Amino acid sequence: MENEMLSGFTRISRIVFIVLSFVLAACILLQTFFAGAAIFTDPAIWRYHVNFVHFFEFVPILMLIFAFCGKLPNGFKWISGALLLILFAQYATAHVPAISAIHPVIALLYFGLSMLVVQQSWRFWKSCR
């Protein structure tokens, strides 16, 4: 019922948000694969890990924008903002020896939160259909 009252832009924004949540989770998973492959098989793979983040670093900010455009509940806006802050934390811890050990721990948090967004956004979409 609620979905029938939404404008086309709002509906499309919600769909884009859901797609972006899946994209982010998949990218974090692939980023983790590159790190593991670099550690366990070939250190030359680090360049993929270092460069791949530039492919998806914009996704959390887009999620935040589309959360507002899609008039999603505030929880989605807060989580999108948290994902953006976690990305900043990843950059901050990547090359500072004193705190670099927390970099993979933050990655676990990043992936876990991204999966929560996937689950919640999918559930929200199904409830609105």
Side-chain angles (χ1 to χ4, degrees), residues 14-35:
R14 288 181 176 188
I15 293 168
V16 170
F17 181 89
I18 293 168
V19 169
L20 288 172
S21 71
F22 277 90
V23 166
L24 182 63
C27 286
I28 295 169
L29 196 60
L30 185 55
Q31 182 75 337
T32 305
F33 170 77
F34 289 145

Side-chain angles (χ1 to χ4, degrees), residues 79-128:
I79 290 175
S80 298
L83 288 168
L84 186 59
L85 290 176
I86 291 171
L87 176 67
F88 293 149
Q90 283 296 81
Y91 274 114
T93 60
H95 301 291
V96 180
I99 58 173
S100 61
I102 200 166
H103 186 79
V105 176
I106 295 171
L108 288 172
L109 177 64
Y110 198 30
F111 182 69
L113 194 56
S114 72
M115 289 304 298
L116 178 66
V117 173
V118 166
Q119 179 188 35
Q120 294 299 319
S121 62
W122 185 252
R123 203 178 281 162
F124 179 77
W125 175 257
K126 285 181 14 182
S127 72
C128 292

Side-chain angles (χ1 to χ4, degrees), residues 4-5 23 25 36-37 39-40 55 64 66-67 74 88 92 95 104 106 112 116 123 128:
E4 294 171 6
M5 295 183 204
V23 166
I39 291 168
F40 295 110
F55 173 73
L64 185 59
F66 283 105
N74 286 336
F88 293 149
H95 301 291
I106 295 171
L116 178 66
R123 203 178 281 162
C128 292

